[in-house]
Amino acid sequence: EDQVTQSPEALRLQEGESSSLNCSYTVSGLRGLFWYRQDPGKGPEFLFTLYSAGEEKEKERLKATLTKKESFLHITAPKPEDSATYLCAVQGSGGGADGLTFGKGTHLIIQP
Amino acid sequence: NAGVTQTPKFQVLKTGQSMTLQCAQDMNHNSMYWYRQDPGMGLRLIYYSASEGTTDKGEVPNGYNVSRLNKREFSLRLESAAPSQTSVYFCASSATLTRGGGQPQHFGDGTRLSIL
């Protein structure tokens, strides 16, 4: 059974204060690890896909990295508009379902 | 640039009533999914459809049925609603898996369902 654990559950930062969010996972045959952003009252918005250990992806102030057991979402010099819940999900090749297994998310607040 | 559209956005039902949640995508994706999101829990897969004409159970299928009406539309039906089905329901779609790996799923903005 695929499992995803995200930490911390919540994080409050000052504007400009860089930090990292963690996603630990266990999966049978990784097909992809996905990062999403979710704003209140909205659906998850796709950010990145990572496929293999050592891979990195960047978009504006966000950078996602992947190892065989963890992924990190690094946020550099965040702004208040980066406040959201960040979700990590994996898709494995074991079992019949092709859906994603999600973590519970990290609720990020950036204070001006 | 609609992407994935879900209707209705909000609904209140009484225990035992039935209803169908609608989902349509305009990205020409083969695969479609239904998830539920509950406080303190991650999104959980209810049902998915890898292609038109096929459907399969996910992690939490009990109490639900689905219909893949055509390539664009995938509906979720609650035959006899129960308070435990109070949740936010999300529909998603993705391109078909390739040898290169999994494809990202794109989500609608959800249906907020309360069952009294």
Side-chain angles (χ1 to χ4, degrees), chain A residues 1 30-32 34 36 38-46 48-49 51 87 91 96-105, chain B residues 31 33 35 37 40-45 48 50 56-59 90 97 100-110 112:
Chain A
E1 182 181 338
L30 181 68
R31 285 176 170 169
F34 304 87
Y36 288 84
Q38 187 174 24
D39 293 300
K42 297 291 187 180
E45 176 189 350
F46 170 68
F48 303 111
T49 308
Y51 292 109
L87 303 173
Q91 187 175 47
D98 286 337
L100 301 178
T101 298
F102 280 86
K104 295 179 182 179
Chain B
S31 300
Y33 311 82
Y35 292 86
Q37 186 175 40
M41 304 190 73
L43 285 136
R44 293 181 292 168
L45 182 67
Y48 75 104
D56 285 285
K57 295 178 181 179
E59 181 185 351
F90 289 101
L97 287 170
Q103 298 301 305
Q105 295 179 15
H106 300 274
F107 287 78
D109 279 338
R112 281 140 189 87

Short mmCIF file of all heavy atoms in Angstrom, two decimals, chain A residues 1 30-32 34 36 38-46 48-49 51 87 91 96-105, chain B residues 31 33 35 37 40-45 48 50 56-59 90 97 100-110 112:
data_model
loop_
_atom_site.label_atom_id
_atom_site.label_comp_id
_atom_site.label_asym_id
_atom_site.label_seq_id
_atom_site.Cartn_x
_atom_site.Cartn_y
_atom_site.Cartn_z
N GLU A 1 0.84 -1.20 0.00
CA GLU A 1 0.00 0.00 0.00
C GLU A 1 0.88 1.25 0.00
O GLU A 1 1.80 1.39 0.80
CB GLU A 1 -0.89 -0.01 1.24
CG GLU A 1 -1.85 1.17 1.31
CD GLU A 1 -2.70 1.13 2.57
OE1 GLU A 1 -2.87 0.04 3.16
OE2 GLU A 1 -3.17 2.19 2.98
N LEU A 30 7.56 3.57 -8.33
CA LEU A 30 7.15 4.96 -8.48
C LEU A 30 6.94 5.31 -9.95
O LEU A 30 7.85 5.24 -10.77
CB LEU A 30 8.20 5.89 -7.87
CG LEU A 30 7.88 7.38 -7.92
CD1 LEU A 30 6.70 7.71 -7.01
CD2 LEU A 30 9.10 8.21 -7.53
N ARG A 31 5.71 5.72 -10.26
CA ARG A 31 5.42 6.23 -11.61
C ARG A 31 5.57 7.75 -11.65
O ARG A 31 5.79 8.32 -12.71
CB ARG A 31 4.00 5.87 -12.03
CG ARG A 31 3.80 4.43 -12.41
CD ARG A 31 2.34 4.18 -12.71
NE ARG A 31 2.11 2.87 -13.31
CZ ARG A 31 0.90 2.34 -13.46
NH1 ARG A 31 -0.17 2.99 -13.04
NH2 ARG A 31 0.75 1.16 -14.02
N GLY A 32 5.42 8.39 -10.50
CA GLY A 32 5.56 9.83 -10.44
C GLY A 32 5.23 10.35 -9.06
O GLY A 32 4.41 9.76 -8.36
N PHE A 34 4.01 13.97 -7.31
CA PHE A 34 3.37 15.20 -7.77
C PHE A 34 3.22 16.17 -6.61
O PHE A 34 2.86 15.78 -5.50
CB PHE A 34 1.98 14.88 -8.34
CG PHE A 34 2.01 13.88 -9.46
CD1 PHE A 34 1.96 12.53 -9.19
CD2 PHE A 34 2.08 14.29 -10.78
CE1 PHE A 34 1.99 11.59 -10.21
CE2 PHE A 34 2.10 13.36 -11.81
CZ PHE A 34 2.06 12.01 -11.53
N TYR A 36 1.12 19.70 -5.55
CA TYR A 36 -0.02 20.54 -5.87
C TYR A 36 -0.11 21.68 -4.86
O TYR A 36 0.32 21.54 -3.71
CB TYR A 36 -1.33 19.76 -5.81
CG TYR A 36 -1.54 18.77 -6.93
CD1 TYR A 36 -1.01 17.50 -6.88
CD2 TYR A 36 -2.28 19.13 -8.06
CE1 TYR A 36 -1.21 16.59 -7.91
CE2 TYR A 36 -2.49 18.23 -9.10
CZ TYR A 36 -1.95 16.97 -9.02
OH TYR A 36 -2.15 16.07 -10.04
N GLN A 38 -3.18 24.08 -3.12
CA GLN A 38 -4.62 24.19 -2.98
C GLN A 38 -4.97 25.44 -2.18
O GLN A 38 -4.54 25.59 -1.03
CB GLN A 38 -5.22 22.95 -2.31
CG GLN A 38 -6.75 22.97 -2.30
CD GLN A 38 -7.36 21.68 -1.78
OE1 GLN A 38 -6.74 20.94 -1.02
NE2 GLN A 38 -8.57 21.39 -2.19
N ASP A 39 -5.76 26.32 -2.79
CA ASP A 39 -6.27 27.51 -2.12
C ASP A 39 -7.65 27.20 -1.54
O ASP A 39 -8.36 26.33 -2.05
CB ASP A 39 -6.35 28.68 -3.10
CG ASP A 39 -4.97 29.12 -3.55
OD1 ASP A 39 -4.18 29.50 -2.67
OD2 ASP A 39 -4.68 29.06 -4.76
N PRO A 40 -8.06 27.93 -0.49
CA PRO A 40 -9.36 27.65 0.14
C PRO A 40 -10.51 27.70 -0.86
O PRO A 40 -10.60 28.63 -1.67
CB PRO A 40 -9.48 28.77 1.18
CG PRO A 40 -8.08 29.13 1.51
CD PRO A 40 -7.32 28.98 0.23
N GLY A 41 -11.35 26.69 -0.83
CA GLY A 41 -12.51 26.65 -1.71
C GLY A 41 -12.21 26.29 -3.15
O GLY A 41 -13.10 26.37 -4.01
N LYS A 42 -10.98 25.88 -3.42
CA LYS A 42 -10.58 25.54 -4.79
C LYS A 42 -10.05 24.11 -4.87
O LYS A 42 -9.75 23.49 -3.85
CB LYS A 42 -9.48 26.49 -5.26
CG LYS A 42 -9.90 27.95 -5.34
CD LYS A 42 -10.90 28.19 -6.44
CE LYS A 42 -11.19 29.66 -6.63
NZ LYS A 42 -12.18 29.89 -7.74
N GLY A 43 -9.94 23.60 -6.08
CA GLY A 43 -9.33 22.30 -6.28
C GLY A 43 -7.82 22.40 -6.32
O GLY A 43 -7.26 23.48 -6.49
N PRO A 44 -7.12 21.27 -6.13
CA PRO A 44 -5.66 21.28 -6.22
C PRO A 44 -5.19 21.75 -7.59
O PRO A 44 -5.74 21.35 -8.61
CB PRO A 44 -5.30 19.82 -5.97
CG PRO A 44 -6.45 19.25 -5.21
CD PRO A 44 -7.65 19.95 -5.76
N GLU A 45 -4.14 22.58 -7.56
CA GLU A 45 -3.54 23.11 -8.79
C GLU A 45 -2.18 22.47 -8.98
O GLU A 45 -1.32 22.55 -8.10
CB GLU A 45 -3.40 24.63 -8.69
CG GLU A 45 -2.70 25.28 -9.87
CD GLU A 45 -2.41 26.75 -9.62
OE1 GLU A 45 -2.90 27.30 -8.62
OE2 GLU A 45 -1.65 27.32 -10.41
N PHE A 46 -1.97 21.83 -10.11
CA PHE A 46 -0.73 21.11 -10.37
C PHE A 46 0.48 22.04 -10.41
O PHE A 46 0.43 23.11 -11.02
CB PHE A 46 -0.85 20.36 -11.70
CG PHE A 46 0.45 19.77 -12.19
CD1 PHE A 46 1.04 18.72 -11.51
CD2 PHE A 46 1.07 20.29 -13.31
CE1 PHE A 46 2.24 18.19 -11.95
CE2 PHE A 46 2.25 19.76 -13.77
CZ PHE A 46 2.84 18.72 -13.09
N PHE A 48 4.28 20.43 -9.97
CA PHE A 48 5.43 19.69 -10.50
C PHE A 48 5.16 18.19 -10.54
O PHE A 48 4.41 17.68 -9.73
CB PHE A 48 6.66 19.86 -9.57
CG PHE A 48 7.08 21.27 -9.33
CD1 PHE A 48 6.93 21.85 -8.07
CD2 PHE A 48 7.67 22.02 -10.34
CE1 PHE A 48 7.34 23.14 -7.83
CE2 PHE A 48 8.09 23.31 -10.10
CZ PHE A 48 7.92 23.87 -8.85
N THR A 49 5.87 17.52 -11.45
CA THR A 49 6.00 16.07 -11.46
C THR A 49 7.49 15.72 -11.38
O THR A 49 8.30 16.31 -12.09
CB THR A 49 5.44 15.43 -12.73
OG1 THR A 49 4.12 15.89 -12.97
CG2 THR A 49 5.44 13.91 -12.62
N TYR A 51 10.07 12.20 -11.38
CA TYR A 51 9.99 10.79 -11.75
C TYR A 51 11.10 9.94 -11.13
O TYR A 51 10.90 8.74 -10.93
CB TYR A 51 10.04 10.63 -13.26
CG TYR A 51 8.82 11.15 -13.97
CD1 TYR A 51 8.87 12.30 -14.74
CD2 TYR A 51 7.60 10.50 -13.87
CE1 TYR A 51 7.76 12.77 -15.40
CE2 TYR A 51 6.47 10.97 -14.52
CZ TYR A 51 6.56 12.10 -15.28
OH TYR A 51 5.45 12.57 -15.93
N LEU A 87 0.13 20.12 -1.31
CA LEU A 87 -0.15 18.69 -1.27
C LEU A 87 0.90 17.92 -2.06
O LEU A 87 1.31 18.35 -3.15
CB LEU A 87 -1.52 18.39 -1.87
CG LEU A 87 -2.73 19.10 -1.25
CD1 LEU A 87 -3.98 18.82 -2.06
CD2 LEU A 87 -2.92 18.67 0.19
N GLN A 91 2.08 8.23 -7.40
CA GLN A 91 1.40 7.24 -8.21
C GLN A 91 2.34 6.06 -8.36
O GLN A 91 3.47 6.22 -8.84
CB GLN A 91 1.02 7.79 -9.57
CG GLN A 91 0.15 6.85 -10.39
CD GLN A 91 -0.31 7.48 -11.69
OE1 GLN A 91 0.49 8.08 -12.40
NE2 GLN A 91 -1.59 7.36 -11.99
N GLY A 96 -4.33 -2.12 -8.68
CA GLY A 96 -5.09 -1.87 -9.90
C GLY A 96 -5.42 -0.42 -10.15
O GLY A 96 -5.61 -0.01 -11.27
N ALA A 97 -5.53 0.39 -9.09
CA ALA A 97 -6.00 1.75 -9.29
C ALA A 97 -4.89 2.64 -9.81
O ALA A 97 -3.74 2.55 -9.38
CB ALA A 97 -6.55 2.31 -7.99
N ASP A 98 -5.25 3.52 -10.73
CA ASP A 98 -4.29 4.47 -11.28
C ASP A 98 -4.37 5.82 -10.62
O ASP A 98 -3.78 6.78 -11.09
CB ASP A 98 -4.53 4.63 -12.79
CG ASP A 98 -4.03 3.42 -13.56
OD1 ASP A 98 -3.17 2.71 -13.03
OD2 ASP A 98 -4.52 3.19 -14.67
N GLY A 99 -5.13 5.91 -9.54
CA GLY A 99 -5.25 7.19 -8.87
C GLY A 99 -4.01 7.56 -8.10
O GLY A 99 -3.05 6.79 -8.01
N LEU A 100 -4.02 8.75 -7.53
CA LEU A 100 -2.92 9.25 -6.71
C LEU A 100 -3.19 8.97 -5.24
O LEU A 100 -4.34 8.98 -4.80
CB LEU A 100 -2.77 10.75 -6.91
CG LEU A 100 -2.49 11.22 -8.34
CD1 LEU A 100 -2.42 12.74 -8.38
CD2 LEU A 100 -1.22 10.61 -8.87
N THR A 101 -2.12 8.73 -4.49
CA THR A 101 -2.19 8.65 -3.03
C THR A 101 -1.64 9.96 -2.49
O THR A 101 -0.48 10.29 -2.73
CB THR A 101 -1.37 7.47 -2.50
OG1 THR A 101 -1.91 6.25 -3.03
CG2 THR A 101 -1.41 7.42 -0.98
N PHE A 102 -2.48 10.68 -1.76
CA PHE A 102 -2.12 12.02 -1.28
C PHE A 102 -1.70 12.00 0.18
O PHE A 102 -2.20 11.19 0.98
CB PHE A 102 -3.32 12.96 -1.40
CG PHE A 102 -3.55 13.50 -2.77
CD1 PHE A 102 -4.28 12.78 -3.70
CD2 PHE A 102 -3.04 14.74 -3.14
CE1 PHE A 102 -4.51 13.28 -4.97
CE2 PHE A 102 -3.25 15.24 -4.40
CZ PHE A 102 -3.99 14.51 -5.32
N GLY A 103 -0.82 12.93 0.54
CA GLY A 103 -0.59 13.25 1.93
C GLY A 103 -1.65 14.21 2.41
O GLY A 103 -2.51 14.66 1.64
N LYS A 104 -1.60 14.54 3.72
CA LYS A 104 -2.62 15.42 4.29
C LYS A 104 -2.33 16.90 4.03
O LYS A 104 -3.18 17.74 4.30
CB LYS A 104 -2.74 15.16 5.79
CG LYS A 104 -3.24 13.76 6.11
CD LYS A 104 -3.33 13.53 7.61
CE LYS A 104 -3.79 12.09 7.90
NZ LYS A 104 -3.87 11.82 9.36
N GLY A 105 -1.14 17.20 3.54
CA GLY A 105 -0.84 18.57 3.18
C GLY A 105 -0.12 19.36 4.25
O GLY A 105 -0.14 19.01 5.44
N SER B 31 -8.27 9.55 -19.11
CA SER B 31 -8.53 9.08 -17.75
C SER B 31 -9.25 10.14 -16.92
O SER B 31 -8.93 11.32 -17.00
CB SER B 31 -7.21 8.72 -17.06
OG SER B 31 -6.53 7.70 -17.78
N TYR B 33 -11.24 10.74 -12.82
CA TYR B 33 -11.19 10.25 -11.44
C TYR B 33 -12.19 11.01 -10.57
O TYR B 33 -12.47 12.19 -10.82
CB TYR B 33 -9.80 10.49 -10.84
CG TYR B 33 -8.65 10.03 -11.70
CD1 TYR B 33 -8.18 10.82 -12.74
CD2 TYR B 33 -8.02 8.80 -11.46
CE1 TYR B 33 -7.12 10.41 -13.54
CE2 TYR B 33 -6.96 8.39 -12.25
CZ TYR B 33 -6.52 9.19 -13.29
OH TYR B 33 -5.48 8.77 -14.07
N TYR B 35 -12.52 11.87 -6.39
CA TYR B 35 -11.92 11.83 -5.06
C TYR B 35 -12.88 12.50 -4.07
O TYR B 35 -13.70 13.34 -4.44
CB TYR B 35 -10.62 12.62 -5.01
CG TYR B 35 -9.47 12.05 -5.81
CD1 TYR B 35 -9.32 12.35 -7.16
CD2 TYR B 35 -8.51 11.25 -5.20
CE1 TYR B 35 -8.24 11.85 -7.89
CE2 TYR B 35 -7.43 10.75 -5.91
CZ TYR B 35 -7.31 11.06 -7.26
OH TYR B 35 -6.24 10.56 -7.97
N GLN B 37 -12.53 14.66 -0.23
CA GLN B 37 -11.57 15.30 0.68
C GLN B 37 -12.29 15.61 1.98
O GLN B 37 -13.26 16.37 1.99
CB GLN B 37 -10.98 16.57 0.07
CG GLN B 37 -9.87 17.18 0.91
CD GLN B 37 -9.22 18.37 0.21
OE1 GLN B 37 -9.88 19.18 -0.42
NE2 GLN B 37 -7.89 18.47 0.31
N GLY B 40 -8.64 16.75 7.87
CA GLY B 40 -7.66 15.91 8.54
C GLY B 40 -7.26 14.68 7.77
O GLY B 40 -6.47 13.87 8.26
N MET B 41 -7.77 14.55 6.55
CA MET B 41 -7.42 13.38 5.74
C MET B 41 -6.98 13.85 4.35
O MET B 41 -7.40 14.90 3.89
CB MET B 41 -8.60 12.43 5.60
CG MET B 41 -9.16 11.97 6.92
SD MET B 41 -10.35 10.66 6.76
CE MET B 41 -9.29 9.29 6.34
N GLY B 42 -6.16 13.08 3.72
CA GLY B 42 -5.79 13.41 2.34
C GLY B 42 -6.93 13.09 1.39
O GLY B 42 -7.91 12.44 1.75
N LEU B 43 -6.81 13.55 0.18
CA LEU B 43 -7.76 13.17 -0.85
C LEU B 43 -7.74 11.66 -1.03
O LEU B 43 -6.67 11.05 -1.07
CB LEU B 43 -7.39 13.84 -2.18
CG LEU B 43 -7.70 15.32 -2.26
CD1 LEU B 43 -6.56 16.09 -2.88
CD2 LEU B 43 -8.98 15.50 -3.07
N ARG B 44 -8.94 11.07 -1.14
CA ARG B 44 -9.04 9.61 -1.31
C ARG B 44 -9.81 9.28 -2.58
O ARG B 44 -10.86 9.87 -2.84
CB ARG B 44 -9.72 8.98 -0.09
CG ARG B 44 -8.89 9.08 1.19
CD ARG B 44 -9.61 8.43 2.36
NE ARG B 44 -10.81 9.18 2.74
CZ ARG B 44 -11.74 8.72 3.57
NH1 ARG B 44 -11.64 7.52 4.07
NH2 ARG B 44 -12.77 9.48 3.88
N LEU B 45 -9.29 8.30 -3.32
CA LEU B 45 -9.87 7.93 -4.60
C LEU B 45 -11.13 7.10 -4.41
O LEU B 45 -11.11 6.09 -3.70
CB LEU B 45 -8.84 7.15 -5.41
CG LEU B 45 -9.26 6.72 -6.81
CD1 LEU B 45 -9.43 7.94 -7.71
CD2 LEU B 45 -8.22 5.76 -7.41
N TYR B 48 -12.33 5.48 -10.62
CA TYR B 48 -11.66 6.09 -11.75
C TYR B 48 -12.07 5.38 -13.04
O TYR B 48 -12.63 4.27 -13.01
CB TYR B 48 -10.14 6.07 -11.57
CG TYR B 48 -9.48 4.74 -11.78
CD1 TYR B 48 -8.76 4.47 -12.94
CD2 TYR B 48 -9.55 3.76 -10.80
CE1 TYR B 48 -8.13 3.26 -13.12
CE2 TYR B 48 -8.93 2.53 -11.00
CZ TYR B 48 -8.23 2.29 -12.15
OH TYR B 48 -7.61 1.07 -12.33
N ALA B 50 -10.17 4.64 -16.70
CA ALA B 50 -8.94 4.76 -17.48
C ALA B 50 -9.22 5.15 -18.92
O ALA B 50 -8.36 5.72 -19.60
CB ALA B 50 -8.17 3.44 -17.43
N ASP B 56 -13.35 1.59 -12.65
CA ASP B 56 -12.78 0.71 -11.63
C ASP B 56 -12.88 1.36 -10.26
O ASP B 56 -12.85 2.59 -10.15
CB ASP B 56 -11.30 0.41 -11.93
CG ASP B 56 -11.14 -0.57 -13.05
OD1 ASP B 56 -11.38 -1.78 -12.82
OD2 ASP B 56 -10.77 -0.13 -14.15
N LYS B 57 -12.96 0.50 -9.22
CA LYS B 57 -13.05 1.00 -7.86
C LYS B 57 -11.71 1.51 -7.37
O LYS B 57 -10.66 0.99 -7.72
CB LYS B 57 -13.53 -0.13 -6.93
CG LYS B 57 -14.93 -0.61 -7.22
CD LYS B 57 -15.32 -1.75 -6.29
CE LYS B 57 -16.72 -2.24 -6.61
NZ LYS B 57 -17.12 -3.37 -5.73
N GLY B 58 -11.79 2.55 -6.53
CA GLY B 58 -10.61 3.06 -5.86
C GLY B 58 -10.59 2.61 -4.42
O GLY B 58 -11.05 1.52 -4.08
N GLU B 59 -10.11 3.48 -3.54
CA GLU B 59 -9.92 3.15 -2.13
C GLU B 59 -11.24 3.10 -1.35
O GLU B 59 -11.41 2.28 -0.46
CB GLU B 59 -8.98 4.18 -1.50
CG GLU B 59 -8.67 3.97 -0.04
CD GLU B 59 -7.84 5.10 0.55
OE1 GLU B 59 -7.37 5.98 -0.22
OE2 GLU B 59 -7.67 5.13 1.78
N PHE B 90 -14.09 15.95 -5.52
CA PHE B 90 -13.31 16.50 -6.62
C PHE B 90 -13.24 15.50 -7.77
O PHE B 90 -13.02 14.31 -7.56
CB PHE B 90 -11.87 16.83 -6.17
CG PHE B 90 -11.78 18.01 -5.26
CD1 PHE B 90 -11.64 17.85 -3.90
CD2 PHE B 90 -11.83 19.29 -5.78
CE1 PHE B 90 -11.56 18.94 -3.05
CE2 PHE B 90 -11.74 20.41 -4.94
CZ PHE B 90 -11.61 20.23 -3.58
N LEU B 97 -1.29 7.16 -19.04
CA LEU B 97 0.06 6.82 -18.61
C LEU B 97 0.92 6.49 -19.83
O LEU B 97 0.47 5.87 -20.77
CB LEU B 97 0.04 5.60 -17.70
CG LEU B 97 -0.49 5.77 -16.28
CD1 LEU B 97 -0.66 4.41 -15.63
CD2 LEU B 97 0.47 6.61 -15.47
N GLY B 100 7.05 6.90 -20.08
CA GLY B 100 7.85 7.86 -19.33
C GLY B 100 7.38 8.05 -17.90
O GLY B 100 8.07 8.62 -17.08
N GLY B 101 6.17 7.57 -17.57
CA GLY B 101 5.69 7.68 -16.21
C GLY B 101 4.29 8.23 -16.12
O GLY B 101 3.62 8.43 -17.13
N GLY B 102 3.87 8.48 -14.88
CA GLY B 102 2.53 8.97 -14.63
C GLY B 102 2.34 10.39 -15.15
O GLY B 102 3.29 11.16 -15.24
N GLN B 103 1.11 10.70 -15.48
CA GLN B 103 0.76 12.03 -15.97
C GLN B 103 0.04 12.81 -14.87
O GLN B 103 -0.75 12.24 -14.12
CB GLN B 103 -0.12 11.93 -17.21
CG GLN B 103 0.56 11.23 -18.37
CD GLN B 103 1.83 11.93 -18.78
OE1 GLN B 103 1.81 13.12 -19.07
NE2 GLN B 103 2.93 11.21 -18.79
N PRO B 104 0.27 14.11 -14.78
CA PRO B 104 -0.41 14.88 -13.72
C PRO B 104 -1.91 14.89 -13.92
O PRO B 104 -2.40 14.89 -15.06
CB PRO B 104 0.18 16.28 -13.88
CG PRO B 104 0.71 16.34 -15.27
CD PRO B 104 1.14 14.95 -15.61
N GLN B 105 -2.63 14.88 -12.82
CA GLN B 105 -4.08 14.99 -12.85
C GLN B 105 -4.46 16.45 -12.64
O GLN B 105 -3.85 17.16 -11.85
CB GLN B 105 -4.70 14.09 -11.78
CG GLN B 105 -4.43 12.62 -12.05
CD GLN B 105 -5.01 11.70 -11.01
OE1 GLN B 105 -5.85 12.08 -10.20
NE2 GLN B 105 -4.56 10.46 -11.01
N HIS B 106 -5.50 16.87 -13.35
CA HIS B 106 -5.97 18.24 -13.27
C HIS B 106 -7.36 18.22 -12.66
O HIS B 106 -8.23 17.45 -13.11
CB HIS B 106 -5.97 18.88 -14.66
CG HIS B 106 -4.61 18.92 -15.27
ND1 HIS B 106 -3.72 19.94 -15.02
CD2 HIS B 106 -3.96 18.04 -16.06
CE1 HIS B 106 -2.59 19.70 -15.65
NE2 HIS B 106 -2.70 18.55 -16.30
N PHE B 107 -7.57 19.06 -11.66
CA PHE B 107 -8.76 18.98 -10.82
C PHE B 107 -9.74 20.11 -11.10
O PHE B 107 -9.36 21.23 -11.47
CB PHE B 107 -8.35 19.06 -9.34
CG PHE B 107 -7.70 17.80 -8.83
CD1 PHE B 107 -6.38 17.53 -9.12
CD2 PHE B 107 -8.43 16.89 -8.07
CE1 PHE B 107 -5.77 16.36 -8.66
CE2 PHE B 107 -7.83 15.74 -7.60
CZ PHE B 107 -6.51 15.47 -7.90
N GLY B 108 -11.03 19.79 -10.89
CA GLY B 108 -12.05 20.82 -10.83
C GLY B 108 -12.06 21.48 -9.46
O GLY B 108 -11.25 21.13 -8.58
N ASP B 109 -12.99 22.42 -9.25
CA ASP B 109 -13.04 23.16 -8.00
C ASP B 109 -13.96 22.52 -6.96
O ASP B 109 -14.19 23.10 -5.90
CB ASP B 109 -13.45 24.61 -8.25
CG ASP B 109 -12.28 25.46 -8.72
OD1 ASP B 109 -11.12 25.06 -8.46
OD2 ASP B 109 -12.53 26.49 -9.36
N GLY B 110 -14.51 21.36 -7.25
CA GLY B 110 -15.19 20.59 -6.23
C GLY B 110 -16.67 20.85 -6.09
O GLY B 110 -17.19 21.89 -6.50
N ARG B 112 -19.30 20.77 -2.84
CA ARG B 112 -19.40 20.68 -1.39
C ARG B 112 -20.76 20.11 -1.03
O ARG B 112 -21.77 20.77 -1.28
CB ARG B 112 -19.16 22.05 -0.77
CG ARG B 112 -17.70 22.38 -0.73
CD ARG B 112 -17.37 23.84 -1.06
NE ARG B 112 -15.92 23.98 -1.20
CZ ARG B 112 -15.27 23.78 -2.34
NH1 ARG B 112 -15.91 23.44 -3.43
NH2 ARG B 112 -13.96 23.92 -2.40
#
